[in-house]
Amino acid sequence: MAEDQRTRAGSRVDTQVVVVGAGPVGLMLAAELRLGGADVIVLEQLPAPTSESRASTLHARTMELFDSRGLLDALGTVPGDVRGHFGGIPLDLTLPASHPGQWKVPQDRTEALLGAWAGGLGADVRRGHEVTALTVTEDHVDVEAVGPAGPLTVRALCVVGCDGEHSTVRRLAGLDFPGADAARELIRADVAGIEVPDRRFERLDAGLAIAARRGDGVTRIMVHEFGRAAVPRTAPPDFAELATIWKRVTGEDVSGGTPLWINAFGDVSRQAARYRDGRVLLAGDAAHAQMPIGGQALNLGLQDAANLGWKLAVQVARKGSEGLLDSYYAERHAVGERVLSGIRAQALLLLSGPEVNPLRAVLGELLRSDDTRRHLAATISGLDIRYDVGPGDHPLLGRRVPSSALETADGWPTSTAELLRGGRGLLLDLSGDGGRTSELDAVAAPWRDRVRTVAAAVTDCGPLSDLDAVLVRPDGYVVWTGSDGTSPEAALHRWLGLPNNEHPISGGLS
């Protein structure tokens, strides 16, 4: 947003959306908002990005989303592995996808990638700003913060809390956060100067131990002592506590190591009763708190941002159709509830003592069935999501668009991911009929700023091969197919808002 577009009144600055929290979720949301044309200011309490890479796993669906935004080249080569787990029980994550399995990317690297992307798109990220108050009126929100230059008020159409499990936005807005606090915990750290065997969810007599040595010689260790309750904490544990528990569980002495960082996390399970209350919204850990097993917490939050960003951008432009923004809660709360249920099951399998071993043995037998394996792999990878997008019975409706190789009508090779990189919807004509292309182009013309019409042919014999046409939302989910002979006009109106020839509405944010 250019400086001359900002309205200043002393310590006040105006924008369209305030995002609180500049972690990966907040930064991804800011970038998605900018792709949709919305002005955004991000307020972050920390003065600089954290160097603690707590979450280090990106799953298949998140990698697809990154591909659809052209981020993978900047991410570079990262190690991938189809070996996953469910509650520490080995699970093959191989599925039909462009990036099956899990990909090891330190959180600080993910955050740097998303920060550069958001900044390059014009997001205004302000670090060292602690939010202290929130006022919601009929037509705007005021977010008060204290920053390096003193008090600041940001006035916007809405605010999105992406500020973690202990969200200030959620607290100030008085949003309910039902669920259960942690009863058991793991302590983890990155430690230099120790020599311990690599362990992948090793269940010993006294507890659970995990260790993985990196190429730079630093070892990440995690430990849980069976029967030990979570300790109420206002600060991270010290290394002596970790070393003591590690020795009781493994018999090994790591006290001579040097911790680079250390923290504790438990089996908390909470979910906001609402992800939206008028002009206040929540995403990521502010909307749902869970034990970070297998990287699902980070991926769940990034996918929240991908779902919300384009909808909110349409809404603040006063073009949102009835219910568009409400679909964020309807879609993502259900996904979050299912993920949290799976994480609770995994926590029981991981952190319970020997009494759970028979159940682990039975589940291990069930995972030999490929149907069971694929079911759990899809839920963990985020590939099983199907939204209710309206009428129609085609199996692709509501699901992510399959990764497909295409050739445009003028002979250029491309892909579904590449065609989504501008952050607009995609109306893909696969008929090979010039008349059909003209017809679809004419229907989509009033949404030209929000949808791209492309005529192409499928070159990989994938799931799109039998379709005449398909409409894909900006977040990659199919909302219409030409299989039933209907026009995409109703789907365009529902998912991409009012056409440009209709009068703008209030934005539906009251």
Side-chain angles (χ1 to χ4, degrees):
M1 180 172 55
E3 186 70 22
D4 59 5
Q5 291 178 299
R6 296 175 182 163
T7 302
R8 294 187 180 276
S11 60
R12 198 187 95 188
V13 59
D14 290 6
T15 189
Q16 290 181 312
V17 183
V18 183
V19 174
V20 178
V25 175
L27 292 170
M28 184 158 187
L29 177 60
E32 291 288 322
L33 286 164
R34 290 298 302 139
L35 277 180
D39 293 331
V40 57
I41 290 176
V42 182
L43 300 178
E44 168 56 50
Q45 181 174 350
L46 295 176
T50 179
S51 60
E52 296 184 8
S53 293
R54 300 178 181 181
S56 60
T57 300
L58 299 180
H59 285 298
R61 180 61 192 141
T62 301
M63 292 293 283
E64 289 178 346
L65 287 170
F66 280 15
D67 192 14
S68 72
R69 296 299 184 255
L71 296 174
L72 293 187
D73 285 346
L75 192 60
T77 302
V78 296
D81 195 342
V82 296
R83 293 181 308 154
H85 73 94
F86 187 86
I89 300 170
L91 175 65
D92 183 351
L93 296 175
T94 302
L95 289 168
S98 60
H99 298 83
Q102 52 187 9
W103 303 80
K104 291 301 180 182
V105 183
Q107 182 174 323
D108 57 349
R109 189 172 172 189
T110 300
E111 194 169 308
L113 171 77
L114 296 174
W117 181 41
L121 289 170
D124 183 354
V125 180
R126 303 188 178 201
R127 295 190 175 275
H129 284 76
E130 181 180 1
V131 172
T132 57
L134 173 65
T135 303
V136 183
T137 74
E138 185 176 337
D139 60 1
H140 68 267
V141 297
D142 283 337
V143 180
E144 297 178 35
V146 177
L152 173 71
T153 297
V154 183
R155 177 164 293 181
L157 293 174
C158 59
V159 58
V160 187
C162 298
D163 48 345
E165 178 181 341
H166 305 291
S167 170
T168 297
V169 171
R170 190 186 64 235
R171 175 177 57 80
L172 292 174
L175 298 180
D176 291 338
F177 200 45
D181 290 330
R184 293 167 293 190
E185 70 175 6
L186 284 92
I187 302 178
R188 63 180 168 180
D190 280 354
V191 186
I194 61 173
E195 295 285 344
V196 298
D198 277 6
R199 293 180 168 91
R200 199 168 190 267
F201 305 107
E202 184 174 5
R203 289 173 59 84
L204 301 165
D205 290 343
L208 173 73
I210 302 163
R213 187 177 178 87
R214 303 193 316 224
D216 61 1
V218 173
T219 301
R220 174 165 295 187
I221 60 175
M222 288 185 271
V223 64
H224 167 72
E225 188 174 20
F226 293 147
R228 187 173 187 268
V231 178
R233 298 184 185 277
T234 57
D238 59 32
F239 187 56
E241 181 182 358
L242 170 60
T244 298
I245 297 173
W246 184 267
K247 188 167 187 177
R248 287 205 298 259
V249 170
T250 69
E252 298 165 354
D253 185 1
V254 296
S255 60
T258 302
L260 306 184
W261 62 266
I262 182 171
N263 74 349
F265 64 94
D267 56 348
V268 58
S269 187
R270 291 187 174 274
Q271 186 176 24
R274 292 176 290 173
Y275 285 13
R276 178 193 172 204
D277 183 8
R279 297 180 181 274
V280 181
L281 300 103
L282 303 173
D285 286 353
H288 40 75
Q290 58 285 302
M291 187 175 176
I293 296 178
Q296 284 185 270
L298 172 63
N299 289 268
L300 184 62
L302 291 172
Q303 291 166 40
D304 288 344
N307 184 286
L308 175 60
W310 61 277
K311 295 175 182 177
L312 193 51
V314 171
Q315 208 76 12
V316 299
R318 303 195 310 146
K319 294 180 179 178
S321 57
E322 184 70 26
L324 176 61
L325 194 54
D326 287 335
S327 72
Y328 166 62
Y329 164 74
E331 293 179 346
R332 294 306 300 171
H333 190 275
V335 171
E337 188 173 29
R338 187 162 186 241
V339 170
L340 263 64
S341 178
I343 288 176
R344 287 194 297 271
Q346 292 193 67
L348 287 171
L349 291 167
L350 270 176
L351 305 183
S352 299
E355 70 276 7
V356 81
N357 289 343
L359 178 59
R360 293 175 60 86
V362 170
L363 183 56
E365 292 176 4
L366 291 175
L367 287 176
R368 295 172 192 167
S369 162
D370 197 50
D371 286 346
T372 305
R373 179 199 68 78
R374 289 167 62 91
H375 174 80
L376 288 181
T379 63
I380 289 173
S381 300
L383 299 177
D384 68 329
I385 295 169
R386 186 173 192 179
Y387 297 130
D388 179 3
V389 297
D393 56 6
H394 194 281
L396 283 181
L397 279 173
R399 296 193 183 278
R400 76 193 209 286
V401 65
S403 177
S404 297
L406 306 168
E407 184 177 285
T408 64
D410 53 4
W412 287 99
T414 186
S415 66
T416 47
E418 186 175 350
L419 293 176
L420 287 166
R421 286 180 184 170
R424 291 187 290 167
L426 172 64
L427 181 55
L428 187 59
D429 172 32
L430 302 169
S431 67
D433 179 347
R436 178 66 163 152
T437 302
S438 298
E439 175 190 339
L440 291 173
D441 198 51
V443 171
W447 290 271
R448 186 66 64 216
D449 57 328
R450 283 158 278 163
V451 69
R452 179 182 185 186
T453 304
V454 177
V458 179
T459 59
D460 61 3
C461 299
L464 295 181
S465 300
D466 65 342
L467 286 175
D468 166 81
V470 62
L471 176 63
V472 185
R473 302 189 321 191
D475 59 348
Y477 289 85
V478 175
V479 294
W480 171 86
T481 72
S483 59
D484 57 4
T486 61
S487 166
E489 185 172 4
L492 285 163
H493 199 286
R494 176 176 178 180
W495 294 110
L496 294 175
L498 297 178
N500 290 323
N501 56 6
E502 288 191 21
H503 188 70
I505 62 174
S506 66
L509 286 164
S510 59

